[in-house]
Amino acid sequence: MTTSEPAPTFTLVHEPTRVRALFEGHDIADSDDVIALREAGHPPVYYFPRKHVFMVFLSQTDKVTHDPDKGDARYFTIYRDQHIVDNVAWSYEAPNAPFAAIADRVAFSPAHVEFQVHGRSAADTEAEDRDVDIG
């Protein structure tokens, strides 16, 4: 008998509205063409087209990681208003077939970048979720 781990479940969804990424309160990306990667057990990852990312504040680093499902990711450091955060953004330039939609798009770490979807921050959405009576 063989056992295998279940394949990770994911969906790629084109966000129906504008998404903004803010670093230290400043726009770093702003687009109405964002793809959200949703994987079971993880918060969504927003992939912005490079033309909607303020690339002037990003510098590609030497860091490359390999994900067996997605492929190789290259990383970027943010330099903005004398603040530097290494390897805070990444891009899959040639992802594996199931992830082709995120090719050449840039994603940001939610630990350092705030996202606004539908004009609301993640904190706003979490506060609304706490106030919902499911019972």
Side-chain angles (χ1 to χ4, degrees):
M1 172 160 64
T2 61
T3 60
S4 62
E5 292 185 32
T9 57
F10 71 89
T11 56
L12 293 172
V13 178
H14 187 269
E15 284 294 327
T17 188
R18 179 170 295 292
V19 180
R20 292 174 64 205
L22 296 103
F23 175 69
E24 303 276 327
H26 301 284
D27 280 325
I28 198 75
D30 186 353
S31 181
D32 59 359
D33 181 22
V34 172
I35 295 177
L37 171 62
R38 301 185 193 286
E39 291 185 82
H42 299 281
V45 178
Y46 299 107
Y47 285 87
F48 293 81
R50 284 185 192 229
K51 67 183 179 184
H52 296 160
V53 175
F54 299 102
M55 295 300 291
V56 67
F57 300 114
L58 300 180
S59 176
Q60 189 167 335
T61 69
D62 292 334
K63 182 177 180 177
V64 177
T65 60
H66 179 77
D67 180 282
D69 296 315
K70 297 178 198 86
D72 293 337
R74 301 202 177 275
Y75 286 77
F76 299 88
T77 292
I78 290 180
Y79 297 91
R80 174 111 198 213
D81 296 335
Q82 299 180 1
H83 292 100
I84 299 171
V85 180
D86 291 324
N87 302 313
V88 72
W90 62 92
S91 178
Y92 290 93
E93 295 171 13
N96 296 331
F99 295 92
I102 63 171
D104 279 330
R105 290 175 175 259
V106 178
F108 299 92
S109 168
H112 298 284
V113 174
E114 177 188 352
F115 299 100
Q116 291 183 345
V117 182
H118 305 288
R120 299 181 321 202
S121 69
D124 294 339
T125 303
E126 288 174 19
E128 286 178 10
D129 289 346
R130 284 192 302 269
D131 293 337
V132 173
D133 182 17
I134 303 174

